[in-house]
Amino acid sequence: MTDSKEIQFSKKRTWSHDLPISYLMQQGVENPGVLSLAAGLVDQNSLPVSITKSAFDSLFSDPGSARESLQYGTTAGSLSLRKLLLTHLTNLEQKSAEELGMTVDNFIVTTGSQQYLSLLGEVLLDPGDICLVAAPTYFVFLGVLQGLGARIISVETDESGMRMDSLDATLESLEAQGQLNRVKLIYLVSDYENPSGISLSIERRKQVVEVAQKWSKQHRIHILEDLAYRELCYDGPVLPSIRSFDQTGETVILTQTFSKSFAPGLRVGFGVASKRVCEAISDKKGNDDFGSTNMSQHILANALRENLYYDHVEYLRSVYREKRDCMLDAAEMYFSKLKDVHWIHPGGGLYVWMTLPDSIETGFQSSLFQKAIHEDKVMYVPGELCYAYDHWLGCNEQPAIQKNHMRLTFGVQNTQGIQEGMKRLANAVKSYL
Ligand SMILES: Cc1ncc(COP(=O)(O)O)c(C=O)c1O
């Protein structure tokens, strides 16, 4: 006998449903033989097996350190790891901790940077509060915002990232509508954005801090800078963060991860924020899990301390550079003769953003997606998932959701798989031109 009494889920539950990520994973499982240019996994073969083993062996060669890693940790994360993170960040920024205005107390270690994004959303956003995002942007964070009942408003983007004139104009218009007091966050993936591969120009990194400060009239409008792909740069040096232009450290909250540059299985990410924001995140995290996996933190600390991490990142850059070039070459080979098809050459990250003619839709229900998956046996992420929809207004204002893009990743497949996947995809697209 089943008891069919109604379940009264919380409002929050009803704001998170039909997640596109679950649909994508399901399609992958239900359609074996499909070459995925969609999955956001990292390259399997270059995962740091021997480095992790030697970090683990070194940790367990001493019963004291072994026991420490097997014990609960602290909510903010291991102090020795946070000290190493501070050094890591100052090296990336090429500025001292004093110049950046940060100490270990500004750092919180989280279970991937995804947890930091989610905790921050929880402590800053009430239902109806506003977060401004780039169009397009990281669709999993759009889901987090939606799950919190936040209003998500898109800001126009060009080849240098979010447009500052559009951001300023959006804030001006929100003030005119009496909504400025609801604006809490500006979310930016400054390096090699997921999905577009675009980086915010250095000039705009400075400007966005000024814009956020200018519009922080009654309360602070924070910038949430997501640097997930920061270290996966293939054509030049690591770029200075938006945070490095915020001398007080009060406006920008930065988050980074070791998922892309080391191993997502360790689930180690971190964030840097002002003391007041850290306190709020720490209180929320205390309720959620009172600390991320201690063992992972010790392993990562060991890899950082012994410089094994840095050699690995160098190696990874060469692996991904080759795969990125392979995807771009394949795009040239199979798509360059197709009218009105173009794509962005990313300087880093894991994605190539491809645009089809306006008339070709790429969404889950589109005939292109269905043909690609069932006949051509290839999968991509529909670009429309990466555009915000304003659930509060029941529509999306400008910029409109664009339905003719595909996010392609060169992370998972080897070069043969990338070539074959691109060939299959071009085949699918051709039948709609
Ligand atoms: C832009 C961006 N931010 C954050 C994350 C979260 O990664 P993790 O939780 O593994 O650190 C991802 C993962 O794909 C991402 O693409």
Side-chain angles (χ1 to χ4, degrees), residues 130-138 142 145 151-174 183 185-189 193 195-196 198 200 204 207-208 211 215 221-222 386-390 396-402:
I130 296 171
C131 178
L132 301 170
V133 303
T137 195
Y138 175 43
L142 294 178
L145 293 170
R151 272 187 75 188
I152 316 168
I153 296 183
S154 303
V155 179
E156 242 176 286
T157 305
D158 62 19
E159 64 288 348
S160 304
M162 187 186 276
R163 288 181 53 155
M164 291 303 118
D165 53 351
S166 304
L167 176 64
D168 199 54
T170 306
L171 286 158
E172 192 172 347
S173 138
L174 285 165
V183 180
L185 266 183
I186 302 165
Y187 171 70
L188 282 157
V189 182
E193 164 99 83
S196 65
I198 287 173
L200 191 69
R204 290 189 192 175
Q207 285 170 352
V208 71
V211 174
W215 291 101
I221 297 175
H222 283 101
C386 308
Y387 288 86
Y389 177 83
D390 190 339
N396 53 291
E397 291 189 324
Q398 293 302 321
I401 295 179
Q402 296 183 14

Side-chain angles (χ1 to χ4, degrees), residues 21 40-42 110-117 137-141 187-195 226-229 255-260 263-265 267-270 350-351 407:
I21 188 89
L41 307 184
V42 300
T110 49
T111 306
S113 52
Q114 191 63 40
Q115 189 192 32
Y116 197 90
L117 295 176
T137 195
Y138 175 43
F139 69 90
V140 183
F141 188 59
Y187 171 70
L188 282 157
V189 182
S190 11
D191 295 337
Y192 324 116
E193 164 99 83
N194 173 5
D226 180 344
L227 288 165
Y229 298 93
T255 180
Q256 271 183 228
T257 179
F258 290 93
S259 291
K260 315 294 175 187
R267 303 303 289 126
V268 181
F270 69 94
L350 297 178
Y351 310 104
R407 188 197 79 174

Side-chain angles (χ1 to χ4, degrees), residues 40-43 46 88 92 191-193 197 199 227-239 256-264 309 312-321 323-324 346-351 409-412:
L41 307 184
V42 300
D43 180 67
S46 55
H88 179 53
L92 290 175
D191 295 337
Y192 324 116
E193 164 99 83
S199 295
L227 288 165
Y229 298 93
R230 177 171 214 187
E231 291 177 78
L232 297 189
C233 47
Y234 314 134
D235 297 336
V238 170
L239 300 167
Q256 271 183 228
T257 179
F258 290 93
S259 291
K260 315 294 175 187
S261 57
F262 199 67
Y309 170 78
H312 183 68
V313 173
E314 269 311 313
Y315 159 66
L316 267 193
R317 285 184 186 137
S318 67
V319 169
Y320 282 127
R321 187 181 298 115
K323 297 213 300 173
R324 187 248 347 231
L350 297 178
Y351 310 104
T409 174
F410 48 86
V412 183

Side-chain angles (χ1 to χ4, degrees), residues 23-39 368-381 412-413 417-418 420-422 424-425:
Y23 181 80
L24 274 173
M25 308 272 267
Q26 187 192 345
Q27 291 302 307
V29 173
E30 283 176 3
N31 296 286
V34 167
L35 258 170
S36 181
L37 301 178
L368 172 63
F369 188 85
Q370 294 301 326
K371 176 175 164 18
I373 205 163
H374 296 296
E375 291 174 31
D376 301 285
K377 302 280 178 208
V378 63
M379 194 160 78
Y380 59 84
V381 171
V412 183
Q413 300 294 339
I418 293 171
E420 178 59 26
M422 294 296 275
R424 291 184 191 184
L425 190 60

